[in-house]
Amino acid sequence: MKKFNSIISSLVALSLAGMLFNCSGSKTSSSETQNSVTVSAEESSTNQLDIEKPQLTFGFIKLTDMAPLAIAKELGYFEDEGLFVTIEAQSNWKNVLDRVIDGELDGSHMLAGQPIAAGAGFGRQADLVTSFSMDLNGNGITVSNDVWSKMKANVPMKDGKPVHPIKADALVPVIKEYKNDGKAFKMGMVFPVSTHNYEIRYWLAAAGVHPGMYTKENIQGQVDADVLLSVTPPPQMPATLEAGTIYGYCVGEPWNQQAVFKGIGVPVTTNYDIWKNNPEKVFVMTKEFTEKYPNTSVAVTKALIRAGKWLDEPGNRAKAVGILSMPEYVGADSVVIANSMTGTFEFEKGDKRSMPDFNVFFRHHATYPFYSDGVWFLTQMRRWGQIPTAKAKGWYDETIKDIYRPDIWLKAANLLVEEGHLSKSDIPQTDGYKAPTKDFIDGKLFDGKDPLGYINSFEIGNKDEAM
């Protein structure tokens, strides 16, 4: 069977080699093609576990941060673990969630807030877990050309270019102008429990702009809102902006760069500036799956960790862009994907800046599912009313430890160290909580072990007394 798998891997590699381009547009050389086939045809370099369920189907949304899934498949990391994986694009985040819960998908690329909300009482409830954090950063906030032309007058300039980070203070006069003209100021985000929703709310609220509260009666989260936020699937963001249905949005790549490419909008900030090295997507399975198929769960995590490491190794991003541009994955033009995936980010057309940490897949222990990352999402759910009642500090700890599973990650990582695919330094020495940080656009201190203090530090949003 392994010999057959190697033959299949060789054919896949041979086919892929003909499609990959580097940044200059030249085709992969014949020697590189030969090396690729040779490496793929080797016997597995991992110690395969006793896999309980080798045939698997995973889901994803067409965003560049699904890259670890594509790389693990295309480079044969799944097959190295004895896994035969099909990857299917999904139409929207609700569909992703429902199909994982219903067992139609064995796992999926998912918004970090989705498994957390599913276990915390907001939206559809289920026991979901994550053993793998897919990336850091990767999102941006884009506004229409009209909004940008009015914002720009309020943005500090240096050498003829805007000074970053651009705070939402520059947007405040524009919102007032729209309101005076009888227009509600409308912006898009991708899902109620998405990082994007919390990031755009954070950015707005830091400038005193109320992004609205969630209540039992108003599940759109628009109570007392100065800006009306609504849901739009990521690939539809540019078209919705161009149609004038919304005036700006927060989304992952390549859909901010697509607005620049099409000349319909301008990214004004990234989530790296809102929260430096913030967690973004996660890979999610049901708790039942991990308990029924524990070796399979570890094997999947091993393959994804290897993919994350490959993505952050020098020289590999151009190949990653070629893979992601394939129609079965992101399917966007490779030039658009490369704008952010190769260490740069373009704001106004022609204003391309170096941003080496815009997409991080392995560095800074990006793949480890830190409890404190999950606690941050819980604080934002409580801040904006998605969690309607106050919770004790202990509730935050208990809730996130049922969902974030560093124990599975550690099993996978330790095996990879034994196999020579990771070094011991790649494993963080941690109790699951990152050190407190002020790396936010408003300078607020976030300590994952003090969620109530963090919630109460904000002027806008719910306040909770210690319980």
Side-chain angles (χ1 to χ4, degrees):
M1 176 64 76
K2 186 172 285 188
K3 182 178 180 181
F4 174 75
N5 295 344
S6 296
I7 293 171
I8 294 298
S9 297
S10 299
L11 292 173
V12 170
L14 185 61
S15 174
L16 180 60
M19 289 186 274
L20 295 181
F21 293 82
N22 63 26
C23 282
S24 65
S26 61
K27 293 184 178 180
T28 306
S29 69
S30 58
S31 61
E32 289 175 330
T33 300
Q34 182 60 46
N35 289 339
S36 176
V37 173
T38 302
V39 170
S40 297
E42 290 177 351
E43 291 295 307
S44 172
S45 59
T46 67
N47 297 320
Q48 290 186 1
L49 300 170
D50 184 10
I51 301 300
E52 307 95 347
K53 187 179 183 185
Q55 300 283 349
L56 300 168
T57 302
F58 297 148
F60 72 94
I61 295 292
K62 291 196 170 193
L63 294 158
T64 55
D65 55 28
M66 63 78 59
L69 278 170
I71 297 305
K73 181 171 175 62
E74 295 296 335
L75 270 61
Y77 296 153
F78 283 134
E79 288 194 15
D80 267 357
E81 301 296 337
L83 305 171
F84 304 93
V85 175
T86 299
I87 303 177
E88 297 180 353
Q90 308 297 306
S91 58
N92 57 64
W93 290 117
K94 183 181 184 303
N95 192 48
V96 165
L97 181 68
D98 289 342
R99 296 196 73 202
V100 170
I101 293 173
D102 294 338
E104 296 172 22
L105 295 171
D106 296 300
S108 186
H109 167 234
M110 203 176 282
L111 298 161
Q114 286 186 289
I116 297 171
F122 183 71
R124 185 176 179 184
Q125 295 301 280
D127 292 325
L128 302 176
V129 300
T130 179
S131 62
F132 180 81
S133 181
M134 295 192 73
D135 64 319
L136 305 178
N137 311 315
N139 296 338
I141 296 177
T142 292
V143 298
S144 69
N145 289 335
D146 180 63
V147 170
W148 173 241
S149 69
K150 296 171 180 175
M151 273 186 76
K152 196 171 181 180
N154 309 315
V155 176
M157 305 291 284
K158 183 178 180 181
D159 298 327
K161 293 185 176 181
V163 175
H164 284 266
I166 296 175
K167 297 184 177 182
D169 301 69
L171 184 62
V172 172
V174 185
I175 295 171
K176 291 180 179 177
E177 180 181 333
Y178 272 63
K179 283 189 173 182
N180 290 339
D181 291 340
K183 297 179 182 178
F185 200 87
K186 298 172 289 185
M187 300 187 80
M189 46 80 183
V190 307
F191 203 67
V193 296
S194 67
T195 318
H196 320 75
N197 186 23
Y198 304 129
E199 287 167 352
I200 197 169
R201 286 171 174 273
Y202 202 104
W203 183 68
L204 291 167
V209 178
H210 201 309
M213 300 292 292
Y214 289 85
T215 66
K216 185 177 180 180
E217 293 74 27
N218 190 312
I219 59 173
Q220 287 77 34
Q222 297 179 347
V223 174
D224 297 327
D226 297 320
V227 170
L228 300 181
L229 298 174
S230 60
V231 171
T232 300
Q236 297 174 24
M237 285 289 191
T240 308
L241 182 75
E242 189 172 20
T245 307
I246 53 178
Y247 307 131
Y249 55 71
C250 184
V251 75
E253 283 307 305
W255 308 116
N256 296 288
Q257 294 301 289
Q258 182 78 340
V260 178
F261 189 75
K262 294 182 69 175
I264 60 171
V266 175
V268 293
T269 193
T270 71
N271 60 344
Y272 180 84
D273 287 329
I274 296 170
W275 175 13
K276 181 181 176 181
N277 290 332
N278 64 92
E280 182 43 37
K281 304 297 189 306
V282 292
F283 182 79
V284 175
M285 300 171 280
T286 64
K287 183 179 181 181
E288 179 184 13
F289 183 97
T290 61
E291 291 176 345
K292 188 175 181 180
Y293 310 119
N295 288 345
T296 304
S297 302
V298 171
V300 169
T301 306
K302 285 179 68 183
L304 290 173
I305 291 172
R306 288 182 69 192
K309 182 179 181 182
W310 182 91
L311 279 160
D312 273 7
E313 288 174 347
N316 287 343
R317 287 296 179 90
K319 290 184 179 180
V321 167
I323 292 171
L324 291 174
S325 67
M326 294 162 65
E328 57 265 44
Y329 297 124
V330 180
D333 191 291
S334 59
V335 174
V336 175
I337 296 175
N339 250 11
S340 61
M341 271 287 282
T342 54
T344 62
F345 190 85
E346 191 167 12
F347 292 93
E348 269 189 298
K349 187 164 284 190
D351 183 7
K352 185 180 286 191
R353 306 192 184 199
S354 174
M355 292 194 72
D357 279 351
F358 181 79
N359 281 124
V360 175
F361 294 98
F362 187 77
R363 290 176 290 110
H364 313 309
H365 301 302
T367 65
Y368 185 94
F370 285 95
Y371 295 138
S372 48
D373 289 346
V375 168
W376 186 84
F377 287 97
L378 287 171
T379 66
Q380 300 309 293
M381 291 175 188
R382 174 61 191 140
R383 181 185 182 186
W384 303 117
Q386 291 174 333
I387 297 172
T389 58
K391 304 291 185 182
K393 173 190 175 296
W395 176 87
Y396 288 85
D397 297 322
E398 293 166 9
T399 299
I400 207 59
K401 286 177 180 178
D402 283 339
I403 301 163
Y404 274 41
R405 295 290 302 276
D407 58 309
I408 299 175
W409 187 95
L410 285 168
K411 287 178 183 177
N414 283 323
L415 287 170
L416 289 171
V417 170
E418 291 176 12
E419 296 161 1
H421 294 297
L422 293 184
S423 65
K424 288 185 178 180
S425 63
D426 292 325
I427 299 179
Q429 301 302 305
T430 178
D431 60 358
Y433 290 82
K434 293 178 181 176
T437 179
K438 289 186 176 180
D439 283 334
F440 291 84
I441 200 162
D442 57 2
K444 295 285 187 184
L445 175 69
F446 170 61
D447 181 350
K449 295 182 178 180
D450 183 21
L452 301 184
Y454 185 59
I455 290 168
N456 292 333
S457 70
F458 298 107
E459 292 184 13
I460 301 176
N462 283 318
K463 303 285 189 295
D464 285 343
E465 294 181 6
M467 300 174 65

